Structure formats: structure tokens, C-alpha cells
Amino acid sequence: MAAFFLSLWVVSHPLAGAVVLAAIVGSFVGVRRASELARCFHDCGGFSFDLGGRVRITIARTDADGAS
């Protein structure tokens, strides 16, 4: 029943419907990627990103006493 009213709203407001759909898909992808990164951080202790092949950002867990 709710899907019927949602489809009527999307038909009557196509631009807003497209924005809402894009936000839902983007949120789903973002949450899924964040959970994968959290699992990797828990298992491996860190991860890194390569930005354009020139810059690498590394996120790593440090020891509790601060020693490297």
C-alpha cells in the first residue's frame, strides 16, 4: 500500500523522486563500504587510500601506550 502512494508521489514529482532515489542508493553504498572498512580496520589494524596515484592516506591503529 505504501509503495502505491510512493509511486504516485514519484510520478507527480519526478525530479524530487530521482533525488530521493539517488540519496537512498548512495546511502546504501556508503553504509556498505563503511562496514567493509570497519571490518578491515578490525582485522588488519588499518587501511590506506591512493588518491590519483600521487597521494596515499593511511589510517592505522596505534598502541595504547603511544609507542611506535
Side-chain angles (χ1 to χ4, degrees):
M1 189 71 167
F4 175 72
F5 289 116
L6 181 64
S7 65
L8 285 178
W9 179 78
V10 169
V11 168
S12 63
H13 299 90
L15 184 59
V19 168
V20 168
L21 180 64
I24 290 170
V25 170
S27 296
F28 177 74
V29 170
V31 167
R32 187 172 179 196
R33 180 70 177 142
S35 68
E36 289 174 2
L37 288 175
R39 186 175 346 113
C40 179
F41 188 73
H42 182 271
D43 293 343
C44 304
F47 52 89
S48 64
F49 297 102
D50 287 330
L51 300 175
R54 304 188 81 188
V55 177
R56 176 176 284 176
I57 298 173
T58 302
I59 300 172
R61 187 179 311 157
T62 59
D63 293 333
D65 60 1
S68 295

